[in-house]
Coordinates of all heavy atoms in Angstrom, one line a residue:
M1 N 0.8 -1.2 0.0 CA 0.0 0.0 0.0 C 0.9 1.3 0.0 O 1.9 1.3 0.7 CB -0.9 0.0 1.2 CG -1.8 1.2 1.3 SD -2.8 1.3 2.9 CE -1.5 1.7 4.1
T2 N 0.4 2.2 -0.8 CA 1.1 3.5 -0.9 C 0.2 4.6 -0.5 O -1.0 4.6 -1.0 CB 1.7 3.7 -2.2 OG1 2.6 2.7 -2.6 CG2 2.5 5.0 -2.3
I3 N 0.5 5.5 0.3 CA -0.3 6.6 0.8 C 0.4 7.9 0.4 O 1.6 8.1 0.7 CB -0.6 6.7 2.3 CG1 -1.4 5.3 2.7 CG2 -1.4 7.8 2.7 CD1 -1.5 5.1 4.1
T4 N -0.4 8.8 -0.3 CA 0.2 10.1 -0.7 C -0.8 11.1 -0.1 O -2.0 11.0 -0.4 CB 0.3 10.2 -2.2 OG1 1.0 9.2 -2.7 CG2 1.0 11.5 -2.6
K5 N -0.3 12.2 0.6 CA -1.1 13.2 1.2 C -0.8 14.5 0.5 O 0.3 14.9 0.2 CB -1.0 13.3 2.7 CG -1.3 12.0 3.4 CD -1.3 12.1 4.9 CE 0.1 12.2 5.4 NZ 0.2 12.2 6.9
K6 N -1.8 15.3 0.3 CA -1.7 16.7 -0.3 C -2.7 17.6 0.4 O -3.9 17.3 0.3 CB -2.0 16.6 -1.8 CG -1.9 18.0 -2.5 CD -2.2 17.9 -3.9 CE -2.3 19.3 -4.5 NZ -3.0 19.3 -5.8
L7 N -2.1 18.6 1.0 CA -2.9 19.7 1.7 C -3.2 20.8 0.8 O -2.2 21.4 0.2 CB -2.3 20.1 3.0 CG -3.1 21.1 3.9 CD1 -4.4 20.4 4.3 CD2 -2.2 21.5 5.0
D8 N -4.5 21.2 0.5 CA -4.8 22.3 -0.2 C -5.8 23.1 0.6 O -6.9 22.8 0.7 CB -5.5 21.9 -1.5 CG -5.8 23.1 -2.5 OD1 -5.3 24.1 -2.3 OD2 -6.6 22.8 -3.5
G9 N -5.3 24.3 1.2 CA -6.1 25.0 2.0 C -6.4 24.2 3.3 O -5.5 23.8 4.0
D10 N -7.7 24.0 3.5 CA -8.1 23.3 4.8 C -8.5 21.9 4.3 O -9.2 21.2 5.1 CB -9.1 24.0 5.6 CG -10.4 24.2 4.9 OD1 -10.5 23.9 3.7 OD2 -11.4 24.6 5.5
T11 N -8.3 21.4 3.1 CA -8.7 20.1 2.6 C -7.4 19.2 2.4 O -6.5 19.6 1.7 CB -9.5 20.2 1.3 OG1 -10.6 21.1 1.6 CG2 -9.9 18.9 0.9
L12 N -7.5 18.1 3.1 CA -6.4 17.2 2.9 C -6.9 16.0 2.0 O -8.0 15.4 2.3 CB -6.0 16.6 4.3 CG -4.9 15.5 4.2 CD1 -3.5 16.0 3.7 CD2 -4.7 14.9 5.7
T13 N -6.2 15.8 0.9 CA -6.5 14.6 0.0 C -5.5 13.6 0.3 O -4.3 13.7 0.3 CB -6.5 15.1 -1.4 OG1 -7.4 16.1 -1.7 CG2 -6.8 13.9 -2.4
I14 N -6.1 12.3 0.6 CA -5.2 11.2 0.9 C -5.5 10.1 -0.2 O -6.5 9.6 -0.3 CB -5.6 10.6 2.2 CG1 -5.5 11.7 3.4 CG2 -4.7 9.4 2.6 CD1 -6.1 11.3 4.6
A15 N -4.4 9.9 -1.1 CA -4.5 8.9 -2.1 C -4.0 7.6 -1.6 O -2.9 7.6 -1.0 CB -3.8 9.4 -3.3
V16 N -4.8 6.6 -1.8 CA -4.3 5.2 -1.3 C -4.3 4.3 -2.5 O -5.2 4.1 -3.2 CB -5.4 4.7 -0.2 CG1 -4.9 3.3 0.2 CG2 -5.5 5.6 0.9
D17 N -3.1 3.7 -2.7 CA -2.9 2.7 -3.8 C -2.6 1.3 -3.1 O -1.9 1.3 -2.1 CB -1.7 3.1 -4.6 CG -1.9 4.4 -5.4 OD1 -3.2 4.8 -5.6 OD2 -1.0 5.1 -5.7
G18 N -3.1 0.3 -3.8 CA -2.9 -1.1 -3.3 C -4.0 -1.6 -2.5 O -5.2 -1.5 -2.9
W19 N -3.7 -2.3 -1.4 CA -4.7 -3.0 -0.5 C -4.8 -2.4 0.7 O -3.7 -2.0 1.3 CB -4.3 -4.4 -0.4 CG -4.6 -5.4 -1.5 CD1 -4.4 -5.0 -2.9 CD2 -5.0 -6.7 -1.5 NE1 -4.6 -6.1 -3.6 CE2 -5.0 -7.2 -2.9 CE3 -5.3 -7.6 -0.5 CZ2 -5.4 -8.4 -3.2 CZ3 -5.7 -8.9 -0.8 CH2 -5.7 -9.3 -2.2
L20 N -6.0 -2.1 1.2 CA -6.2 -1.5 2.6 C -6.9 -2.7 3.4 O -8.1 -2.9 3.3 CB -7.1 -0.3 2.6 CG -7.3 0.4 3.9 CD1 -6.1 0.6 4.7 CD2 -8.1 1.7 3.6
D21 N -6.0 -3.5 4.0 CA -6.5 -4.7 4.7 C -5.9 -4.8 6.1 O -5.4 -3.8 6.6 CB -6.2 -5.9 3.9 CG -4.7 -6.1 3.6 OD1 -3.9 -5.4 4.2 OD2 -4.3 -6.9 2.8
T22 N -6.0 -5.9 6.7 CA -5.5 -6.2 8.1 C -4.1 -5.9 8.2 O -3.6 -5.3 9.2 CB -5.8 -7.6 8.5 OG1 -7.2 -7.9 8.3 CG2 -5.3 -7.9 9.9
M23 N -3.3 -6.2 7.2 CA -1.8 -5.9 7.2 C -1.4 -4.4 7.1 O -0.5 -4.0 7.6 CB -1.1 -6.8 6.2 CG -1.3 -8.3 6.3 SD -0.6 -9.0 7.8 CE 1.1 -8.6 7.5
T24 N -2.2 -3.7 6.3 CA -1.9 -2.3 6.0 C -2.7 -1.3 6.8 O -2.3 -0.2 6.8 CB -2.0 -2.0 4.5 OG1 -3.4 -2.3 4.1 CG2 -1.1 -2.9 3.7
A25 N -3.8 -1.8 7.4 CA -4.7 -0.8 8.2 C -3.9 -0.1 9.3 O -4.0 1.2 9.5 CB -5.8 -1.5 8.8
P26 N -2.9 -0.7 10.0 CA -2.2 0.1 11.0 C -1.3 1.2 10.4 O -1.2 2.3 11.0 CB -1.3 -1.0 11.7 CG -2.0 -2.3 11.5 CD -2.7 -2.1 10.1
E27 N -0.8 0.9 9.2 CA 0.0 2.0 8.5 C -0.9 3.1 8.1 O -0.5 4.3 8.3 CB 0.7 1.4 7.4 CG 1.5 2.4 6.5 CD 2.0 1.8 5.2 OE1 2.0 0.6 5.0 OE2 2.5 2.6 4.4
F28 N -2.1 2.8 7.6 CA -3.0 3.8 7.2 C -3.4 4.7 8.4 O -3.4 5.9 8.4 CB -4.3 3.1 6.6 CG -5.3 4.1 6.2 CD1 -5.3 4.8 5.0 CD2 -6.4 4.3 7.1 CE1 -6.3 5.6 4.6 CE2 -7.4 5.2 6.7 CZ -7.4 5.9 5.5
H29 N -3.7 4.0 9.5 CA -4.2 4.7 10.8 C -3.0 5.6 11.2 O -3.3 6.8 11.5 CB -4.3 3.7 11.9 CG -4.8 4.3 13.2 ND1 -6.1 4.7 13.5 CD2 -4.0 4.6 14.3 CE1 -6.1 5.3 14.6 NE2 -4.9 5.2 15.2
K30 N -1.8 5.2 11.1 CA -0.6 6.0 11.5 C -0.5 7.3 10.6 O -0.3 8.4 11.0 CB 0.6 5.3 11.5 CG 1.8 5.9 12.2 CD 3.0 5.1 12.2 CE 2.9 3.8 13.0 NZ 4.1 3.0 13.0
E31 N -0.8 7.1 9.3 CA -0.6 8.1 8.4 C -1.7 9.2 8.5 O -1.5 10.3 8.2 CB -0.6 7.6 6.9 CG 0.6 6.9 6.5 CD 1.8 7.9 6.3 OE1 1.5 9.0 5.9 OE2 2.9 7.5 6.5
V32 N -2.9 8.7 8.9 CA -4.1 9.7 9.0 C -4.4 10.2 10.4 O -5.3 11.0 10.6 CB -5.3 9.1 8.3 CG1 -5.0 8.8 6.9 CG2 -5.9 8.0 9.1
E33 N -3.6 9.7 11.4 CA -3.8 10.0 12.7 C -3.8 11.5 13.0 O -4.6 12.1 13.7 CB -2.8 9.3 13.6 CG -3.0 9.3 15.1 CD -2.1 8.3 15.7 OE1 -0.9 8.2 15.3 OE2 -2.6 7.6 16.6
D34 N -2.8 12.3 12.4 CA -2.6 13.7 12.6 C -3.0 14.4 11.3 O -2.3 14.3 10.3 CB -1.2 14.0 12.9 CG -1.0 15.5 13.2 OD1 -1.9 16.2 13.3 OD2 0.2 15.9 13.2
L35 N -4.2 15.0 11.4 CA -4.7 15.7 10.2 C -4.1 17.2 10.0 O -4.3 17.8 9.1 CB -6.2 15.9 10.2 CG -6.9 14.5 10.2 CD1 -8.4 14.7 10.3 CD2 -6.6 13.7 9.0
G36 N -3.3 17.6 11.0 CA -2.7 18.9 10.9 C -3.7 20.0 10.8 O -4.7 20.0 11.6
A37 N -3.5 20.9 9.8 CA -4.4 22.0 9.6 C -5.7 21.7 8.9 O -6.5 22.5 8.6 CB -3.6 23.1 8.9
A38 N -5.8 20.4 8.4 CA -6.9 20.0 7.6 C -8.2 19.9 8.4 O -8.2 19.4 9.5 CB -6.6 18.7 6.9
K39 N -9.2 20.5 7.9 CA -10.6 20.4 8.4 C -11.3 19.3 7.6 O -12.1 18.6 8.2 CB -11.3 21.7 8.4 CG -12.6 21.6 9.0 CD -13.3 23.0 9.1 CE -14.7 22.9 9.7 NZ -15.4 24.2 10.0
N40 N -11.1 19.4 6.3 CA -11.9 18.5 5.4 C -10.9 17.4 4.8 O -9.7 17.7 4.7 CB -12.5 19.3 4.2 CG -13.3 20.5 4.7 OD1 -14.2 20.3 5.5 ND2 -12.9 21.6 4.2
V41 N -11.5 16.2 4.6 CA -10.7 15.1 4.1 C -11.3 14.5 2.9 O -12.5 14.2 2.9 CB -10.5 14.1 5.2 CG1 -9.7 12.8 4.6 CG2 -9.6 14.6 6.3
V42 N -10.6 14.3 1.9 CA -11.0 13.5 0.7 C -10.1 12.3 0.6 O -8.9 12.4 0.5 CB -10.8 14.3 -0.6 CG1 -11.1 13.5 -1.8 CG2 -11.7 15.6 -0.5
L43 N -10.7 11.1 0.6 CA -9.9 9.9 0.4 C -10.0 9.5 -1.2 O -11.1 9.4 -1.7 CB -10.5 8.7 1.1 CG -10.3 8.7 2.6 CD1 -10.9 7.4 3.3 CD2 -8.8 8.7 2.9
D44 N -8.9 9.5 -1.8 CA -8.9 9.2 -3.2 C -8.5 7.8 -3.3 O -7.3 7.4 -3.2 CB -7.8 10.1 -3.9 CG -7.8 9.9 -5.4 OD1 -8.4 8.9 -5.9 OD2 -7.2 10.8 -6.1
F45 N -9.4 6.9 -3.7 CA -9.2 5.5 -3.8 C -9.0 5.0 -5.3 O -9.3 3.9 -5.6 CB -10.4 4.8 -3.2 CG -10.4 4.7 -1.7 CD1 -11.4 4.2 -1.0 CD2 -9.3 5.1 -1.0 CE1 -11.4 4.0 0.4 CE2 -9.3 5.0 0.4 CZ -10.3 4.5 1.1
K46 N -8.6 5.9 -6.2 CA -8.4 5.6 -7.5 C -7.5 4.3 -7.7 O -7.7 3.4 -8.5 CB -7.7 6.7 -8.3 CG -7.6 6.4 -9.8 CD -7.1 7.7 -10.4 CE -7.0 7.4 -12.0 NZ -6.6 8.6 -12.7
G47 N -6.5 4.2 -6.9 CA -5.5 3.1 -7.0 C -5.8 2.0 -6.0 O -5.0 1.1 -5.8
L48 N -6.9 2.1 -5.2 CA -7.2 1.1 -4.3 C -7.8 -0.1 -5.0 O -8.8 0.0 -5.7 CB -8.2 1.6 -3.2 CG -8.4 0.7 -2.0 CD1 -7.2 0.6 -1.1 CD2 -9.6 1.2 -1.2
E49 N -7.1 -1.2 -4.8 CA -7.5 -2.5 -5.4 C -8.5 -3.3 -4.6 O -9.3 -4.1 -5.0 CB -6.3 -3.3 -5.8 CG -5.4 -2.6 -6.7 CD -4.0 -3.4 -6.8 OE1 -4.0 -4.6 -6.6 OE2 -3.1 -2.7 -7.3
Y50 N -8.3 -3.2 -3.2 CA -9.0 -4.1 -2.3 C -9.2 -3.4 -1.0 O -8.2 -2.7 -0.5 CB -8.3 -5.4 -2.1 CG -8.9 -6.3 -1.1 CD1 -10.0 -7.1 -1.4 CD2 -8.3 -6.3 0.2 CE1 -10.5 -8.0 -0.4 CE2 -8.8 -7.3 1.1 CZ -9.9 -8.0 0.9 OH -10.5 -8.8 1.8
I51 N -10.3 -3.5 -0.3 CA -10.6 -3.0 1.1 C -11.2 -4.2 1.9 O -12.2 -4.8 1.4 CB -11.4 -1.7 1.1 CG1 -11.3 -1.1 2.4 CG2 -12.8 -2.0 0.6 CD1 -11.8 0.3 2.5
S52 N -10.7 -4.4 3.0 CA -11.2 -5.4 4.0 C -12.0 -4.8 5.1 O -12.0 -3.5 5.1 CB -10.0 -6.2 4.5 OG -9.3 -5.5 5.5
S53 N -12.5 -5.6 6.0 CA -13.2 -5.0 7.2 C -12.3 -4.1 8.0 O -12.7 -3.1 8.5 CB -13.8 -6.1 8.0 OG -12.8 -6.9 8.4
A54 N -11.0 -4.4 8.1 CA -10.1 -3.5 8.8 C -9.9 -2.2 8.1 O -9.8 -1.2 8.7 CB -8.7 -4.2 8.9
G55 N -9.9 -2.2 6.7 CA -9.8 -1.0 6.0 C -11.1 -0.2 6.2 O -11.1 1.1 6.3
L56 N -12.2 -0.9 6.1 CA -13.5 -0.2 6.3 C -13.5 0.5 7.7 O -14.0 1.6 7.9 CB -14.7 -1.1 6.2 CG -15.0 -1.6 4.8 CD1 -16.0 -2.7 4.9 CD2 -15.5 -0.5 4.0
R57 N -13.1 -0.2 8.7 CA -13.1 0.3 10.1 C -12.2 1.5 10.2 O -12.6 2.5 10.8 CB -12.5 -0.8 11.0 CG -12.6 -0.5 12.4 CD -12.4 -1.7 13.3 NE -11.2 -2.6 13.0 CZ -11.4 -3.8 12.3 NH1 -12.5 -4.3 12.1 NH2 -10.3 -4.5 12.0
E58 N -11.0 1.6 9.5 CA -10.2 2.8 9.6 C -10.9 3.9 8.8 O -10.8 5.1 9.2 CB -8.8 2.4 8.9 CG -8.0 1.6 9.8 CD -7.7 2.2 11.2 OE1 -7.6 3.4 11.3 OE2 -7.5 1.3 12.2
T59 N -11.5 3.6 7.7 CA -12.2 4.7 6.9 C -13.3 5.3 7.8 O -13.4 6.5 7.8 CB -12.8 4.1 5.7 OG1 -11.8 3.5 4.9 CG2 -13.5 5.1 4.7
V60 N -14.1 4.5 8.4 CA -15.2 5.0 9.2 C -14.6 5.8 10.4 O -15.2 6.8 10.9 CB -16.1 3.9 9.7 CG1 -17.1 4.3 10.8 CG2 -16.8 3.3 8.5
A61 N -13.5 5.3 11.0 CA -12.9 6.0 12.1 C -12.4 7.4 11.7 O -12.7 8.4 12.5 CB -11.7 5.2 12.7
L62 N -11.8 7.5 10.5 CA -11.5 8.8 10.0 C -12.6 9.7 9.7 O -12.6 10.9 10.1 CB -10.6 8.6 8.7 CG -10.1 9.8 8.0 CD1 -9.2 10.7 9.0 CD2 -9.3 9.5 6.8
F63 N -13.7 9.1 9.2 CA -14.9 9.9 9.0 C -15.4 10.4 10.3 O -15.8 11.6 10.3 CB -16.0 9.0 8.3 CG -17.4 9.5 8.5 CD1 -17.9 10.6 7.7 CD2 -18.3 8.9 9.3 CE1 -19.2 11.1 7.9 CE2 -19.5 9.4 9.5 CZ -20.0 10.5 8.7
R64 N -15.4 9.7 11.3 CA -16.0 10.1 12.6 C -15.1 11.3 13.1 O -15.6 12.2 13.7 CB -16.0 9.0 13.6 CG -17.1 8.0 13.3 CD -17.2 6.9 14.3 NE -18.3 6.0 14.0 CZ -18.4 4.8 14.4 NH1 -17.4 4.2 15.1 NH2 -19.4 4.1 14.1
V65 N -13.8 11.2 13.0 CA -12.9 12.3 13.5 C -13.2 13.6 12.7 O -13.4 14.6 13.4 CB -11.4 11.9 13.4 CG1 -10.5 13.1 13.6 CG2 -11.1 10.8 14.3
V66 N -13.3 13.5 11.4 CA -13.6 14.7 10.6 C -14.9 15.2 10.9 O -15.1 16.5 11.1 CB -13.4 14.3 9.1 CG1 -13.9 15.4 8.2 CG2 -12.0 13.9 8.8
N67 N -15.9 14.4 11.0 CA -17.3 14.8 11.3 C -17.4 15.5 12.7 O -18.0 16.5 12.8 CB -18.2 13.6 11.2 CG -19.7 13.9 11.2 OD1 -20.1 14.9 10.5 ND2 -20.5 13.3 12.0
A68 N -16.7 14.9 13.7 CA -16.7 15.5 15.0 C -16.1 16.9 15.0 O -16.5 17.7 15.9 CB -16.0 14.6 15.9
N69 N -15.1 17.1 14.1 CA -14.5 18.5 14.0 C -15.2 19.4 13.1 O -14.7 20.5 12.8 CB -13.0 18.2 13.5 CG -12.2 17.5 14.6 OD1 -12.4 17.7 15.8 ND2 -11.1 16.8 14.1
G70 N -16.4 19.0 12.6 CA -17.2 19.9 11.8 C -16.7 20.0 10.3 O -17.2 20.9 9.6
G71 N -15.9 19.0 9.9 CA -15.4 19.0 8.6 C -16.1 18.2 7.6 O -17.1 17.5 8.0
A72 N -15.8 18.3 6.3 CA -16.5 17.5 5.3 C -15.6 16.3 5.0 O -14.4 16.4 5.0 CB -16.7 18.3 4.0
F73 N -16.2 15.2 4.7 CA -15.5 13.9 4.4 C -16.1 13.3 3.2 O -17.3 13.2 3.0 CB -15.6 12.9 5.6 CG -14.9 11.6 5.4 CD1 -13.6 11.5 5.7 CD2 -15.6 10.6 4.9 CE1 -13.0 10.3 5.5 CE2 -15.0 9.3 4.7 CZ -13.7 9.2 5.0
S74 N -15.3 12.9 2.2 CA -15.8 12.1 1.1 C -14.7 11.2 0.6 O -13.5 11.3 0.9 CB -16.1 13.1 -0.1 OG -15.0 13.8 -0.6
V75 N -15.2 10.1 -0.2 CA -14.4 9.1 -0.8 C -14.6 9.2 -2.3 O -15.7 9.3 -2.7 CB -14.7 7.7 -0.3 CG1 -13.8 6.7 -0.9 CG2 -14.7 7.6 1.3
R76 N -13.5 9.3 -3.1 CA -13.6 9.6 -4.4 C -12.8 8.5 -5.3 O -12.0 7.8 -4.7 CB -13.0 11.0 -4.9 CG -13.6 12.1 -4.1 CD -15.0 12.4 -4.6 NE -15.7 13.4 -3.8 CZ -15.6 14.7 -3.9 NH1 -14.9 15.3 -4.9 NH2 -16.3 15.5 -3.1
N77 N -13.2 8.4 -6.5 CA -12.5 7.5 -7.5 C -12.6 6.0 -7.0 O -11.6 5.4 -7.1 CB -11.1 7.9 -7.7 CG -11.0 9.3 -8.3 OD1 -11.7 9.6 -9.2 ND2 -10.1 10.2 -7.7
V78 N -13.7 5.7 -6.6 CA -13.9 4.3 -6.1 C -14.3 3.4 -7.3 O -15.2 3.6 -8.0 CB -15.0 4.2 -5.0 CG1 -15.2 2.8 -4.5 CG2 -14.7 5.2 -3.9
D79 N -13.5 2.3 -7.5 CA -13.8 1.4 -8.5 C -15.0 0.5 -8.1 O -15.4 0.4 -6.9 CB -12.6 0.6 -9.0 CG -12.3 -0.6 -8.2 OD1 -12.9 -0.8 -7.2 OD2 -11.4 -1.3 -8.6
R80 N -15.5 -0.3 -9.0 CA -16.7 -1.1 -8.8 C -16.6 -2.1 -7.7 O -17.5 -2.3 -6.8 CB -17.2 -1.8 -10.1 CG -18.5 -2.5 -10.0 CD -18.8 -3.3 -11.2 NE -17.8 -4.2 -11.8 CZ -17.4 -5.3 -11.1 NH1 -17.9 -5.7 -10.0 NH2 -16.6 -6.1 -11.7
K81 N -15.5 -2.8 -7.7 CA -15.3 -3.8 -6.6 C -15.2 -3.2 -5.2 O -15.9 -3.8 -4.3 CB -14.0 -4.6 -6.9 CG -13.9 -5.4 -8.1 CD -12.6 -6.1 -8.3 CE -11.5 -5.1 -8.5 NZ -10.2 -5.5 -8.8
V82 N -14.6 -2.2 -5.1 CA -14.5 -1.5 -3.8 C -15.9 -0.9 -3.4 O -16.4 -1.0 -2.3 CB -13.4 -0.4 -3.7 CG1 -13.5 0.3 -2.4 CG2 -12.0 -1.1 -3.9
M83 N -16.6 -0.3 -4.4 CA -17.9 0.2 -4.2 C -18.9 -0.8 -3.7 O -19.7 -0.6 -2.9 CB -18.4 0.9 -5.4 CG -19.7 1.7 -5.3 SD -19.5 3.0 -4.0 CE -21.1 3.7 -3.9
D84 N -18.8 -2.0 -4.3 CA -19.6 -3.1 -3.9 C -19.5 -3.4 -2.3 O -20.4 -3.6 -1.7 CB -19.3 -4.4 -4.7 CG -19.7 -4.3 -6.1 OD1 -20.5 -3.5 -6.5 OD2 -19.3 -5.2 -6.9
V85 N -18.3 -3.3 -1.9 CA -18.1 -3.5 -0.4 C -18.7 -2.4 0.3 O -19.4 -2.7 1.4 CB -16.5 -3.6 -0.1 CG1 -16.3 -3.7 1.4 CG2 -15.9 -4.8 -0.8
F86 N -18.6 -1.2 -0.1 CA -19.2 0.0 0.7 C -20.7 -0.2 0.6 O -21.4 0.1 1.6 CB -18.8 1.3 0.0 CG -17.5 1.8 0.5 CD1 -16.5 1.9 -0.4 CD2 -17.3 2.2 1.8 CE1 -15.2 2.4 0.0 CE2 -16.0 2.6 2.2 CZ -15.0 2.8 1.3
T87 N -21.3 -0.6 -0.5 CA -22.8 -0.8 -0.6 C -23.3 -2.0 0.2 O -24.2 -1.8 0.9 CB -23.1 -1.1 -2.2 OG1 -22.7 0.1 -2.9 CG2 -24.6 -1.2 -2.3
L88 N -22.5 -3.1 0.2 CA -22.9 -4.3 0.9 C -22.9 -3.9 2.5 O -23.8 -4.5 3.2 CB -22.1 -5.4 0.7 CG -22.3 -6.2 -0.7 CD1 -21.2 -7.1 -0.9 CD2 -23.6 -6.8 -0.7
T89 N -22.0 -3.1 2.9 CA -22.0 -2.8 4.4 C -22.8 -1.6 4.8 O -23.0 -1.4 5.9 CB -20.5 -2.5 4.7 OG1 -20.0 -1.4 3.9 CG2 -19.6 -3.7 4.6
G90 N -23.4 -0.9 3.8 CA -24.2 0.3 4.0 C -23.5 1.5 4.3 O -24.1 2.5 4.6
F91 N -22.2 1.5 4.1 CA -21.4 2.7 4.4 C -21.6 3.8 3.3 O -21.3 5.0 3.5 CB -19.8 2.4 4.5 CG -19.5 1.6 5.7 CD1 -18.8 0.6 5.7 CD2 -20.1 2.1 7.0 CE1 -18.4 -0.1 6.9 CE2 -19.8 1.4 8.2 CZ -18.9 0.3 8.1
D92 N -22.1 3.4 2.2 CA -22.4 4.3 1.1 C -23.5 5.3 1.5 O -23.6 6.3 0.9 CB -22.8 3.6 -0.2 CG -24.0 2.8 -0.1 OD1 -24.3 2.2 0.9 OD2 -24.9 2.7 -1.1
K93 N -24.3 5.0 2.6 CA -25.3 5.8 3.1 C -24.8 6.7 4.2 O -25.4 7.6 4.6 CB -26.5 5.0 3.5 CG -27.2 4.4 2.3 CD -28.3 3.4 2.8 CE -29.0 2.8 1.7 NZ -28.2 2.1 0.6
K94 N -23.6 6.4 4.7 CA -23.0 7.2 5.9 C -22.3 8.4 5.4 O -22.3 9.5 6.1 CB -22.0 6.3 6.6 CG -22.6 5.7 8.0 CD -21.4 5.1 8.7 CE -21.7 5.0 10.1 NZ -22.6 5.7 10.8
F95 N -21.6 8.3 4.3 CA -20.8 9.4 3.8 C -20.7 9.4 2.3 O -21.1 8.5 1.7 CB -19.4 9.5 4.4 CG -18.7 8.2 4.5 CD1 -18.1 7.6 3.3 CD2 -18.6 7.5 5.7 CE1 -17.4 6.3 3.4 CE2 -17.9 6.3 5.8 CZ -17.3 5.7 4.6
E96 N -20.3 10.6 1.7 CA -20.3 10.7 0.3 C -19.2 9.8 -0.4 O -18.0 9.9 0.0 CB -20.0 12.1 -0.1 CG -20.0 12.4 -1.6 CD -19.6 13.8 -1.9 OE1 -19.3 14.6 -1.0 OE2 -19.6 14.1 -3.2
I97 N -19.7 9.0 -1.4 CA -18.7 8.1 -2.1 C -19.0 8.3 -3.6 O -20.2 8.2 -4.0 CB -18.9 6.6 -1.7 CG1 -18.7 6.4 -0.2 CG2 -18.0 5.8 -2.5 CD1 -19.0 5.0 0.3
R98 N -18.0 8.6 -4.3 CA -18.2 8.9 -5.8 C -17.2 8.1 -6.6 O -16.1 7.9 -6.2 CB -18.1 10.3 -6.1 CG -19.1 11.2 -5.5 CD -19.2 12.7 -5.8 NE -18.2 13.1 -6.7 CZ -18.0 14.3 -6.9 NH1 -18.5 15.2 -6.1 NH2 -17.1 14.7 -7.8
A99 N -17.7 7.6 -7.7 CA -16.8 6.8 -8.6 C -15.8 7.7 -9.4 O -14.8 7.2 -9.9 CB -17.7 6.1 -9.6
D100 N -16.1 9.0 -9.5 CA -15.2 9.9 -10.3 C -14.1 10.5 -9.4 O -14.1 10.6 -8.3 CB -16.0 11.0 -11.0 CG -16.7 11.9 -10.0 OD1 -16.7 11.7 -8.8 OD2 -17.3 12.9 -10.5

């Protein structure tokens, strides 16, 4: 898994490539633990090939932190396989998820 972060004003875009699973979730957590000056977060999953329950848990945890701080949270560039996981778990109704 590769994580790239880009801060633009008060919006932090976090691009995740590879797999977000049990093995990589702790690294993801460590990378997003400190949002710095960011109020809003965009997860860019264009390069995400797979997400497990551990990855979902980290995504929801990040959403809760951003939401508690009054920020906006969205997930972008989600491919069909990953979107199926969000839909099956009902997370597509919790926060904004877009395929583009």
Side-chain angles (χ1 to χ4, degrees):
M1 178 185 70
T2 304
I3 297 172
T4 308
K5 298 188 287 187
K6 179 183 172 195
L7 184 62
D8 184 13
D10 64 354
T11 300
L12 178 63
T13 299
I14 304 167
V16 183
D17 294 334
W19 285 36
L20 183 49
D21 59 10
T22 304
M23 299 297 291
T24 59
E27 177 187 348
F28 178 84
H29 179 83
K30 194 180 294 186
E31 286 287 330
V32 302
E33 193 169 40
D34 180 15
L35 298 177
K39 180 175 182 176
N40 308 307
V41 172
V42 174
L43 287 180
D44 184 346
F45 280 173
K46 183 177 184 176
L48 189 69
E49 300 169 21
Y50 174 80
I51 191 166
S52 73
S53 59
L56 288 171
R57 191 169 39 254
E58 290 298 332
T59 302
V60 171
L62 180 57
F63 161 73
R64 287 181 177 156
V65 168
V66 172
N67 194 44
N69 291 331
F73 179 86
S74 65
V75 182
R76 305 285 168 93
N77 299 314
V78 180
D79 83 356
R80 187 186 51 69
K81 294 179 294 187
V82 174
M83 187 63 184
D84 286 348
V85 175
F86 280 115
T87 302
L88 286 170
T89 57
F91 291 133
D92 62 323
K93 293 174 180 49
K94 257 192 161 335
F95 43 79
E96 180 185 3
I97 303 172
R98 294 185 4 197
D100 61 356

